[in-house]
Amino acid sequence: MLKLLFRQRTLSSIMPKQSATMSGLQCLATENIWFDKQRYDEAERRFYEGVNGPSSPQQQVKTALQQAKGRQQKRQHRNSSSHAGGDQELVSRMKSLELENQTLHKVVQEMRAALQKLESRVLILEKSPVAAAVPCAKAAPVQAAPVKQVKVENGDDDDDDIDLFGSDDDDEEAARIKQERVDAYAAKKAKKPALIAKSSILLDVKPWDDETDMAQLEQCVRSVQMDGLLWGASKLVPVGYGIKKLQINCVVEDDKVGTDILEEEITKFEDFVQSVDVAAFNKI
């Protein structure tokens, strides 16, 4: 309330001056700026001292001590709460570490049991070959095949009948049998027909113009005959501007007929044929 009263008084003292002259103070008066804050604070302090009585230095000390105690209690409370939270975290971590330790102990025990089983199995396997070898050693010995005793009688006639190096008749017989087998294989191979390499050729025969008789052109092409040549199907394919080309297929033997010979023979019909091209060439 005092602040409002002081502010009204200052404003009332300033208003006559503002009405007299229009200056920059009018703009500052409209702004929410408090230039005399210290004066108002001092007046407020005096007002409260007048209401409650003058404050002695002892009371100021007491209030300061009370404020310090309150601040210290707040700090202790905060520290205790933080310590309690830290203790809880430590307890939870200890519990988790104990659980992990227990699980690790269990895993170690299982691994030890597995190792003991493996060691026992290895010992059994190491002993088993020895046990298997003992019965084999105790088995009855293999009986040797009876040796035929050949009685050798002294005499000149017996020595003459024994041929230590063999006879030449056996070698001649083996050579004769071998030669017969070779001759039979050669005759059998000669009877098999030899493979003939063939190719399928697709030719494009082009006329001079659209007035060329294509039927007569085809007859001229098919009139080319030679050993190893067989003409096949044909058709007329449009080229453009009313001109059509003859596309004809033929099968040739590679050793007897070639594409160059065919082109030379077909291009001899100069009145009908302009050019010959190989459109496709496939091995059969």
Side-chain angles (χ1 to χ4, degrees), residues 27 116 175:
C27 297
Q116 288 178 358

Side-chain angles (χ1 to χ4, degrees), residues 28-262:
L28 292 173
T30 58
E31 296 292 335
N32 294 325
I33 300 172
W34 198 356
F35 292 103
D36 299 333
K37 182 177 182 300
Q38 295 179 355
R39 292 171 60 190
Y40 294 124
D41 292 339
E42 184 68 20
E44 186 178 3
R45 185 179 63 77
R46 290 176 182 176
F47 172 76
Y48 282 115
E49 286 179 354
V51 173
N52 299 324
S55 59
S56 62
Q58 294 178 356
Q59 290 179 353
Q60 291 179 358
V61 171
K62 287 181 180 179
T63 54
L65 289 172
Q66 289 177 357
Q67 290 178 357
K69 286 181 180 179
R71 291 175 183 173
Q72 189 175 3
Q73 288 177 358
K74 288 181 180 179
R75 289 177 183 175
Q76 289 177 356
H77 180 68
R78 290 176 183 174
N79 293 328
S80 63
S81 61
S82 62
H83 285 301
D87 294 338
Q88 289 179 357
E89 290 180 358
L90 288 173
V91 170
S92 62
R93 288 182 181 178
M94 290 292 291
K95 288 181 179 179
S96 63
L97 288 172
E98 287 178 357
L99 291 173
E100 289 180 359
N101 195 8
Q102 289 177 0
T103 54
L104 288 172
H105 279 300
K106 290 180 181 179
V107 171
V108 170
Q109 289 177 359
E110 291 176 357
M111 291 179 69
R112 286 178 179 175
L115 285 172
Q116 288 178 358
K117 290 180 180 179
L118 287 172
E119 288 177 356
S120 61
R121 289 184 65 184
V122 169
L123 291 173
I124 291 168
L125 291 172
E126 287 178 353
K127 292 178 181 178
S128 61
V130 178
V134 171
C136 294
K138 293 180 180 179
V142 179
Q143 294 181 356
V147 180
K148 293 183 180 179
Q149 295 180 359
V150 180
K151 294 181 180 180
V152 180
E153 296 179 355
N154 294 325
D156 296 336
D157 296 334
D158 295 333
D159 294 335
D160 295 336
D161 293 336
I162 297 171
D163 190 2
L164 297 175
F165 300 99
S167 60
D168 295 336
D169 296 335
D170 295 336
D171 297 336
E172 292 177 358
E173 184 67 19
R176 184 181 62 78
I177 293 169
K178 184 177 180 180
Q179 187 63 33
E180 288 178 357
R181 290 178 180 176
V182 171
D183 295 340
Y185 177 75
K188 186 177 180 181
K189 189 175 181 181
K191 289 180 181 178
K192 289 184 179 180
L195 294 175
I196 300 172
K198 295 183 179 181
S199 301
S200 176
I201 304 173
L202 185 64
L203 297 174
D204 284 343
V205 183
K206 296 177 183 178
W208 288 104
D209 50 21
D210 57 344
E211 296 179 357
T212 304
D213 188 359
M214 299 303 293
Q216 187 67 29
L217 187 146
E218 184 176 356
Q219 288 181 2
C220 294
V221 171
R222 290 184 181 275
S223 65
V224 177
Q225 298 292 332
M226 59 183 68
D227 188 16
L229 173 63
L230 179 64
W231 293 107
S234 64
K235 64 179 180 179
L236 296 176
V237 180
V239 178
Y241 302 101
I243 301 173
K244 296 181 179 180
K245 66 180 179 180
L246 176 66
Q247 199 169 66
I248 186 168
N249 190 12
C250 64
V251 178
V252 300
E253 294 181 8
D254 296 342
D255 295 337
K256 296 179 181 179
V257 182
T259 56
D260 296 336
I261 298 172
L262 285 175

